[in-house]
Structure formats: structure tokens, C-alpha cells
Amino acid sequence: GGLQLHFQPKVALETGKIVGFEALVRWPHPRLGLLQPADFVPLAESTDVINPLTWWVVENALIQLRRWHDQFPELTMAVNLSVKNLLDRQCSQHLEEIIRRIGVDPRLVEFELTETAIMTDPETALPMLRRITSTGARLAIDDFGTGYSSLAYLQRFPLHGIKIDRSFVADMA
């Protein structure tokens, strides 16, 4: 019960309107202050704690999306998944069950994975990604450009979006 979700808005550049949010987990540590995911998620990923952490984030993000739904029915919610989640054979079933139990339209849910998470074991990831998208949920690559995969290779995956890493584009201008 010591974690919090923060919601980062996703804004349509054409209109300036908020079209969705990305759920970001934070840990308000009593001694160390507000910890960012980089401070504790790698430890969770090195153990079996990452799966219950992910299910908690997905469930609470979708509960918030459900609360906003009556006033803003088109809002989407993005949630990050770990490579360890993809290696869990029950991952797609857990995600589908949470979406169904909370009662949100799966088309409003987007799961984000880093390029390195998918490329760690692409042959294992591909069937899991297909099962996740078969529910109607969307998939996006987060931090693209930090690894070594090509866009051509990513065509194999059922992706709906690619988020280019800031370091990849920072010096373009």
C-alpha cells in the first residue's frame, strides 16, 4: 500500500487537447523521499515481485480511467510492461482479466514496452504480444532508439505506436 500512481498527460499536437494518460508508478519512501521507477523497478525485475507490481499498476490505472470515463469517454491509458511480464505465460490472461473486471474498453488501453524488452527474446515476446493485442488492447514501443533494432525488424510485431527516445532526437534541431 505504499506506492502511488502519477498520470502524465498525452496531448494531441494538432488540437492541444489531452487524449490520454500514461500511468507512472512512484514510491513515496518515508526516509528517502519520492522514488522514481529507476530507483526500485530494476530490483523488482530481478525478483518475482515485478509481476504483482505490474498487476497493481495496471489495475489502479484502469480504475482511474474508469473514474474519468463518464466525463471523458475517449481518454486512453498507457501502462508500462517489463520483459519479465512477457516471459510470464499468464501475462495476457492477467491483463485481460483486469481489463474485464474493471470494465474498461480494451481499445482504450495501451501497453508500452521498451525496445530492449522486446528484443531480449523476440521469439518468446511475439506470441505474447499477439495474445495481448487479440484482447483489443494496443501496444507501443517506448524509448525506441536506445537499442540496436531496426524499424524493419519491428514490423513483425503487432505495434500501434513507437515513442522515440529523447536522446535519439535531442540534437536534431
Side-chain angles (χ1 to χ4, degrees), residues 2-115:
L3 299 177
Q4 296 177 342
L5 286 184
H6 291 212
F7 298 96
Q8 179 176 314
K10 293 173 117 181
V11 178
L13 291 177
E14 313 84 47
T15 63
K17 292 186 178 183
I18 294 174
V19 295
F21 290 90
E22 180 177 355
L24 303 167
V25 66
R26 301 291 187 261
W27 181 8
H29 193 279
R31 207 170 23 88
L32 302 175
L34 189 64
L35 298 178
Q36 302 295 311
D39 297 325
F40 63 93
V41 170
L43 180 61
E45 286 180 317
S46 70
T47 68
D48 289 335
V49 172
I50 192 62
N51 286 328
L53 172 62
T54 300
W55 311 149
W56 181 87
V57 171
V58 170
E59 182 164 337
N60 285 280
L62 296 186
I63 287 171
Q64 184 60 57
L65 181 64
R66 184 82 189 124
R67 287 183 188 132
W68 288 329
H69 182 76
D70 289 340
Q71 192 172 0
F72 308 103
E74 299 301 317
L75 281 181
T76 63
M77 182 66 71
V79 180
N80 293 295
L81 296 181
S82 161
V83 64
K84 287 283 210 109
N85 299 134
L86 291 183
L87 298 176
D88 176 0
R89 293 181 184 266
Q90 304 301 314
C91 177
S92 62
Q93 292 161 331
H94 282 295
L95 297 174
E96 185 175 2
E97 189 273 325
I98 293 169
I99 290 169
R100 185 177 44 252
R101 185 165 30 83
I102 303 303
V104 298
D105 183 343
R107 296 172 298 179
L108 300 176
V109 180
E110 180 175 76
F111 295 107
E112 295 184 1
L113 297 127
T114 62
E115 174 186 4

